[in-house]
Amino acid sequence: MNVKVMNQQTIEQNADFAKTLVSEAADYGLTLPDETVNKLVDYYGLINLWNPRLHLVAPCAPAEFARRHILESVYAIAHLPPHALLIDVGAGAGLPSVPCLVARPDLRGELIEASIKKSIFLREALQKLNRARAAIVVNNRFESLTAPKAEALTCRALDKFSALLPRLLKWSARVSRLLLFGGPALAARLDESTPYESYLLPNSRQRYLFVIQNMRADESANH
């Protein structure tokens, strides 16, 4: 495939991606200004550029990427208070934290990622999207760190998520709210562990946003 054809393909992919963001944002309770859409298109382009080397996400059509990865991620901002610090455990490609940071400039982020190469990608993405001053990337496993005091923690693509859930719940003692993405298997583990609220993600049959209010963090904040 020559460069001209590749460029045309990229233009068409970006157009399909942007069109889906704009036309379906309301389904997720979102309003996305043009500036936000443009930055999310840039982010989509960066993932496509790095994906062949790092396998950040499974390949999919632009419209599906817009729904599954971007709109579902930004759906979580309704549960984030103003100026919140959002910790993303197992950040990978930066989902859901990077789209949230783009859609909500008031947010701050701490992206925890064990892979060196993916950490490099995350720093590059934050720099390109002008969010590097608002977020840091920590190249480590979450179990090796002390969880900071924060308003929210999110997790979407952590390897062996269900098995690691008890450790994550214990580790996040100083975090006020957990926003976890998953399906029935994660719901079953949460049923064994902690009270939660679940929100079926728009355009999905079995993907949920699970919201856990951390009573331990609330109690410590009041002392």
Side-chain angles (χ1 to χ4, degrees), residues 44-64:
Y44 174 60
L46 285 170
I47 289 180
N48 284 336
L49 181 64
W50 287 64
N51 210 37
R53 289 173 286 164
L54 300 187
H55 307 290
L56 296 165
V57 296
C60 63
E64 179 65 12

Side-chain angles (χ1 to χ4, degrees), residues 47-98:
I47 289 180
N48 284 336
L49 181 64
W50 287 64
N51 210 37
R53 289 173 286 164
L54 300 187
H55 307 290
L56 296 165
V57 296
C60 63
E64 179 65 12
F65 194 102
R67 296 186 194 101
R68 180 77 179 264
H69 295 302
I70 303 300
L71 291 172
E72 286 190 4
S73 291
V74 183
Y75 181 77
I77 63 174
H79 301 278
L80 296 172
H83 309 291
L85 171 60
L86 176 63
I87 303 171
D88 189 354
V89 175
L95 301 164
S97 54
V98 171

Side-chain angles (χ1 to χ4, degrees), residues 4-126:
K4 184 175 181 179
V5 173
M6 289 179 65
N7 287 342
Q8 182 61 34
Q9 183 181 58
T10 298
I11 291 170
E12 292 174 356
Q13 288 176 339
N14 288 350
D16 288 346
F17 173 80
K19 180 180 178 181
T20 303
L21 288 183
V22 172
S23 63
E24 300 188 19
D27 294 346
Y28 297 78
L30 302 170
T31 301
L32 300 177
D34 290 345
E35 182 181 1
T36 299
V37 171
N38 291 338
K39 284 188 176 182
L40 291 171
V41 170
D42 291 341
Y43 176 54
Y44 174 60
L46 285 170
I47 289 180
N48 284 336
L49 181 64
W50 287 64
N51 210 37
R53 289 173 286 164
L54 300 187
H55 307 290
L56 296 165
V57 296
C60 63
E64 179 65 12
F65 194 102
R67 296 186 194 101
R68 180 77 179 264
H69 295 302
I70 303 300
L71 291 172
E72 286 190 4
S73 291
V74 183
Y75 181 77
I77 63 174
H79 301 278
L80 296 172
H83 309 291
L85 171 60
L86 176 63
I87 303 171
D88 189 354
V89 175
L95 301 164
S97 54
V98 171
C100 288
L101 288 164
V102 170
R104 282 271 303 275
D106 62 297
L107 298 177
R108 296 170 295 125
E110 183 169 320
L111 283 56
I112 300 173
E113 172 53 49
S115 165
I116 294 175
K117 292 181 179 179
K118 290 180 181 178
S119 296
I120 293 171
F121 164 78
L122 290 169
R123 293 188 181 101
E124 176 74 7
L126 291 168

